[in-house]
Amino acid sequence: MESGRLYFDTSTCRGNNNMNMLFLGNADLGFRGRSMMSMEEGSKRRPFFSSPDELYDEEYYEEQSPEKKRRLTSEQVHLLEKSFEEENKLEPERKTQLAKKLGLQPRQVAVWFQNRRARWKTKQLERDYDVLKSSYESLLSTYDSIVKENEKLKSEVVCLNEKFQVQGKDMLEEPLSEKKVDPLPVDITQIFGMKLDEHVSSGSVGSAVVDEGSPRVVIDSVDSYFPADDYGGCVAPIERVQSEEDDGSDDGRCCFDVFVTSETEQQNHEGEGLNWWGNMYYVA
DNA sequence: TTGTGTTTTATTGCCTCC
DNA sequence: GGAGGCAATAAAACACAA
């Protein structure tokens, strides 16, 4: 018995799926406009989905309304799924075997695999998206905590700077001949673009960025911030200076340089212009 | 029951490979 | 040029809330 699907000339019947699905011919993939038969012939052919038994039951075709699109049975789907798991591509021989086993047209099997691949691809994209999303969220969270830590350290520095300003003033009241004190080179708050009184309450001290003794803290967050000549060699230009606000190109890394000069250090290296200074980097 | 959203089956056109 | 894959799409079938 001949079985299959009738397809209309694709060039003339495009977009009319109902008409395309009305009849069955003997086409497989690659049918396009190549397996034509008359409507009279087609109207007597079997509908799309048939069980193996139905496949050879002529009466079936007369009782069924051929225009109905029907779903595959769960058994058919189960077998197709199993086959898809083994190999998601379908060689012609396998397709024929499967079709025979399931009582389907080889074209139906091919279409099922094609649609199944499309579904798999969609799911895979969703999975990939989820992975990327969680990775992004994790990075974002790390970045946020780094920014917060950075802000905290900055306010600590501001607080300390204020302390040292007061201390420096007291020292200036003593005869300069007895106590040699450099004035603060710069208002530290200008560096961060914030007002001092916004940060004096932070109260956290003991940052690792300062020396014990009586240090003077200078932080640079912009290029060539320090006029090195003005400070007796206490502060040297920093070659690579960077902060996360600099240019927005932090690429996940945040760093800034901290200069600490202490009287002790100055005395220890009198005339050498040596300073203790450290770099702080956070790598996400 | 019905409206609506989702899933499944199938078609079409385009592309690549041999 | 034929065969087959894929993306886009149509439409039937199904699920489900109101």
Side-chain angles (χ1 to χ4, degrees), chain A residues 73-86 98 101-102 112-113:
Chain A
T73 66
S74 55
E75 265 178 62
Q76 286 170 322
V77 171
H78 179 69
L79 225 139
L80 285 164
E81 287 285 357
K82 246 175 90 178
S83 183
F84 184 83
E85 272 176 36
E86 288 167 17
L98 259 175
K101 202 170 176 183
L102 294 165
W112 188 90
F113 265 73

Coordinates of all heavy atoms in Angstrom, one line a residue, chain A residues 73-86 98 101-102 112-113:
Chain A
T73 N 1.7 9.4 20.0 CA 1.3 8.7 21.3 C 2.5 8.8 22.2 O 3.6 9.0 21.8 CB 1.0 7.2 21.1 OG1 2.2 6.6 20.6 CG2 -0.1 7.1 20.0
S74 N 2.2 8.6 23.5 CA 3.3 8.7 24.5 C 4.4 7.6 24.2 O 5.6 7.9 24.5 CB 2.8 8.6 25.9 OG 2.0 7.4 26.0
E75 N 3.9 6.5 23.7 CA 4.9 5.4 23.4 C 5.8 5.9 22.3 O 7.0 5.7 22.3 CB 4.2 4.2 23.0 CG 3.9 3.2 24.1 CD 3.2 2.0 23.6 OE1 3.7 1.3 22.8 OE2 2.0 1.8 24.1
Q76 N 5.2 6.5 21.3 CA 6.0 6.9 20.1 C 7.0 8.0 20.6 O 8.2 8.0 20.2 CB 5.1 7.5 19.0 CG 4.3 6.4 18.3 CD 3.3 7.0 17.4 OE1 2.6 8.0 17.8 NE2 3.1 6.4 16.2
V77 N 6.5 8.9 21.4 CA 7.4 10.0 21.9 C 8.5 9.4 22.7 O 9.7 9.8 22.6 CB 6.6 11.0 22.7 CG1 7.5 12.0 23.4 CG2 5.6 11.7 21.8
H78 N 8.2 8.4 23.6 CA 9.2 7.8 24.4 C 10.3 7.2 23.6 O 11.5 7.4 23.9 CB 8.5 6.8 25.3 CG 9.5 6.0 26.2 ND1 10.0 6.7 27.3 CD2 9.9 4.8 26.2 CE1 10.8 5.8 27.9 NE2 10.8 4.7 27.3
L79 N 9.9 6.5 22.6 CA 10.9 5.8 21.7 C 11.8 6.9 21.0 O 13.0 6.7 20.9 CB 10.2 4.9 20.7 CG 10.9 3.5 20.6 CD1 9.8 2.5 20.5 CD2 11.8 3.5 19.4
L80 N 11.1 7.9 20.5 CA 11.8 8.9 19.8 C 12.8 9.6 20.7 O 13.9 9.9 20.4 CB 10.8 10.0 19.2 CG 10.1 9.5 18.0 CD1 8.9 10.4 17.7 CD2 11.0 9.5 16.8
E81 N 12.4 9.9 22.0 CA 13.2 10.5 23.0 C 14.4 9.6 23.2 O 15.6 10.1 23.3 CB 12.5 10.8 24.3 CG 11.5 11.9 24.2 CD 12.1 13.3 24.2 OE1 13.3 13.4 24.3 OE2 11.4 14.3 24.1
K82 N 14.2 8.4 23.4 CA 15.3 7.4 23.6 C 16.3 7.5 22.5 O 17.5 7.5 22.7 CB 14.7 6.0 23.8 CG 14.9 5.5 25.2 CD 14.3 4.1 25.3 CE 15.2 3.0 25.0 NZ 14.6 1.7 25.2
S83 N 15.8 7.5 21.3 CA 16.6 7.5 20.1 C 17.4 8.8 20.0 O 18.5 8.9 19.6 CB 15.7 7.3 18.9 OG 16.5 7.3 17.8
F84 N 16.7 9.9 20.4 CA 17.3 11.2 20.4 C 18.5 11.3 21.4 O 19.5 11.9 21.1 CB 16.3 12.3 20.7 CG 16.8 13.7 20.6 CD1 16.9 14.3 19.4 CD2 17.3 14.4 21.7 CE1 17.4 15.6 19.3 CE2 17.7 15.7 21.6 CZ 17.8 16.3 20.4
E85 N 18.3 10.7 22.5 CA 19.4 10.7 23.5 C 20.6 10.0 23.0 O 21.7 10.4 23.3 CB 18.9 9.9 24.8 CG 18.2 10.9 25.8 CD 17.6 10.1 27.0 OE1 18.3 9.1 27.4 OE2 16.5 10.4 27.4
E86 N 20.4 8.9 22.3 CA 21.5 8.2 21.7 C 22.3 9.0 20.7 O 23.5 9.1 20.7 CB 21.1 6.9 21.0 CG 20.6 5.8 22.0 CD 19.9 4.7 21.4 OE1 20.0 4.6 20.1 OE2 19.2 4.0 22.1
L98 N 13.3 3.7 12.4 CA 12.4 4.3 13.4 C 11.0 4.5 12.9 O 10.1 4.2 13.6 CB 13.0 5.6 13.8 CG 13.8 5.7 15.1 CD1 14.4 7.1 15.3 CD2 12.9 5.3 16.3
K101 N 9.3 1.2 12.8 CA 9.0 0.7 14.2 C 7.8 1.5 14.8 O 7.0 0.9 15.6 CB 10.3 1.0 15.0 CG 10.4 0.1 16.3 CD 11.8 0.3 16.8 CE 11.9 -0.5 18.2 NZ 13.2 -0.3 18.7
L102 N 7.8 2.8 14.5 CA 6.7 3.6 15.1 C 5.5 3.7 14.3 O 4.5 4.3 14.8 CB 7.3 5.0 15.4 CG 8.4 5.1 16.4 CD1 9.2 6.5 16.2 CD2 8.0 4.9 17.8
W112 N 10.2 15.4 13.6 CA 10.2 15.3 15.1 C 11.7 15.6 15.6 O 11.9 16.4 16.5 CB 9.8 14.0 15.6 CG 9.6 13.9 17.0 CD1 8.5 14.2 17.7 CD2 10.6 13.6 18.0 NE1 8.7 14.1 19.1 CE2 10.0 13.7 19.3 CE3 12.0 13.2 17.9 CZ2 10.7 13.5 20.5 CZ3 12.7 13.0 19.1 CH2 12.1 13.1 20.3
F113 N 12.6 15.0 14.9 CA 14.0 15.2 15.3 C 14.4 16.7 15.2 O 15.1 17.3 16.0 CB 15.0 14.3 14.6 CG 15.3 13.0 15.3 CD1 14.3 12.0 15.4 CD2 16.5 12.9 15.9 CE1 14.6 10.9 16.1 CE2 16.8 11.7 16.6 CZ 15.9 10.7 16.7

